[in-house]
Amino acid sequence: MKSRLSRWLTLGWLPLLVFFVFCLALPSWAQGQSKSQPRPVQGMSRTVTMQELCGGCTVEKFATCGKSIEGPTFDDQGNLYIVSMSVGGIEKISPDGKCSHFADTGGTPQGLKFHNGMIYGVDRKRGVFTLDLKTAEVKDYMPDFYGEHFIGLNDLIVDPQGGIYFTDAWGSSILNPRGAVYYLSPDKKITRLINNMAYPNGISLSPDNRTLYIDEFMAQRVIAVPVVAPGILNIGFAHVMANLAGGWGPDSMAVDAKGNIYAAHWGAREVVVLDPDDFIVGTIDLPPDAGPMTNNVAFHQGYLYITEGRKAEIWRVKMNVEGAKLN
């Protein structure tokens, strides 16, 4: 009888002992799980990491060229063209990094885009222009809006039809939001699409051309607007993709083939990367001795090129993703 009682007590306490040990171990196990699979913080991308996009994202200096540079674009031979805003020039940088003066606009050039063997540009004083790469001749393409002078054009992007979206920004600000976005069709019909923005700066398109991205510089934000058809926007569904902090604001941008957006953050010495779902992936940082005025980016043959205005330097970082196909 005593032997049976002892056996019963031993077997009866055994499940309780196992349960007690399990309760003690549970917090440590849960903590280990949370460390291996952290929950993304608010605003952090759920779909991509900087490691996937550019590994360690280490930048290297490619060239020093021009004065107050911006507007990088590449031709079919791999030559890089940039503007020298303060002196009205356009510089050419060969694939090996050698810089040479190429043309003058007679104004204040801001942005360039290569399209169909020619460069289209915007100039604060002369509007939209073209640059012949054989003769270096600059010609007016659209100098005004039906006789009304632009306040000062800033950047542009070309769509698959050959139409041009461009921003008009100079003199507008957070307290004087009179900047605008225009569309210039291939047959040179011009439409004002958006008005009253606080310095609309960089402008780009998603890889499927269904979303127009605009950097509203003085408001420190990136805006996405649905494209219904070439030159027609769904303003009612425009939304803020991201609000930046530090520096002045997002200057100009580029988009990769997977739809991630790379916005040069002026005054912050960085490029801010957003995923297509409007979350911040991270930043590509220039070294501390670089100038702080990161103002534009462009993809070319596996690299992202970054222009910095104060020291007139072009940096680049090796990427694991290609840029979106430019039209």
Side-chain angles (χ1 to χ4, degrees), residues 79-144:
N79 297 301
L80 171 62
Y81 296 84
I82 57 175
V83 302
S84 283
M85 291 183 288
S86 61
V87 295
I90 297 175
E91 321 301 335
K92 179 180 179 180
I93 306 169
S94 61
D96 60 359
K98 293 180 180 179
C99 172
S100 61
H101 183 68
F102 187 74
D104 291 289
T105 69
T108 307
Q110 294 276 156
L112 304 173
K113 283 295 183 294
F114 179 77
H115 176 70
N116 281 350
M118 180 180 291
I119 284 181
Y120 291 82
V122 289
D123 188 288
R124 197 183 298 169
K125 295 181 180 179
R126 66 184 303 167
V128 185
F129 66 88
T130 59
L131 173 64
D132 190 311
L133 296 184
K134 294 180 180 179
T135 66
E137 183 180 9
V138 175
K139 291 183 178 180
D140 288 333
Y141 189 70
M142 182 57 64
D144 53 47

Side-chain angles (χ1 to χ4, degrees), residues 22-41:
F22 174 76
C23 290
L24 288 176
L26 183 60
S28 298
W29 177 83
Q31 186 177 10
Q33 287 296 103
S34 64
K35 287 183 178 179
S36 61
Q37 297 179 343
R39 174 181 171 82
V41 298

Side-chain angles (χ1 to χ4, degrees), residues 254-308:
V255 179
D256 71 24
K258 295 183 178 181
N260 301 297
I261 299 100
Y262 300 73
H265 194 185
W266 198 86
R269 202 179 276 106
E270 67 182 9
V271 175
V272 179
V273 185
L274 308 172
D275 70 19
D277 297 318
D278 306 354
F279 291 101
I280 292 179
V281 182
T283 62
I284 298 170
D285 301 317
L286 296 191
D289 61 339
M293 307 311 180
T294 40
N295 56 27
N296 215 321
V297 287
F299 280 93
H300 183 67
Q301 293 187 345
Y303 284 89
L304 180 72
Y305 289 77
I306 306 165
T307 53
E308 192 284 321

Side-chain angles (χ1 to χ4, degrees), residues 146-207:
Y146 299 110
E148 176 188 339
H149 291 294
F150 300 118
I151 61 175
L153 303 191
N154 189 281
D155 203 2
L156 73 161
I157 189 70
V158 184
D159 70 11
Q161 291 72 34
I164 303 172
Y165 294 92
F166 60 93
T167 55
D168 191 20
W170 190 250
S172 63
S173 71
I174 192 68
L175 299 179
N176 184 28
R178 60 191 187 101
V181 175
Y182 292 85
Y183 181 75
L184 182 57
S185 68
D187 58 358
K188 300 182 74 171
K189 293 180 181 178
I190 185 170
T191 306
R192 183 182 286 155
L193 302 176
I194 306 172
N195 213 343
N196 300 323
M197 294 188 73
Y199 209 103
N201 199 317
I203 190 165
S204 197
L205 286 162
S206 60

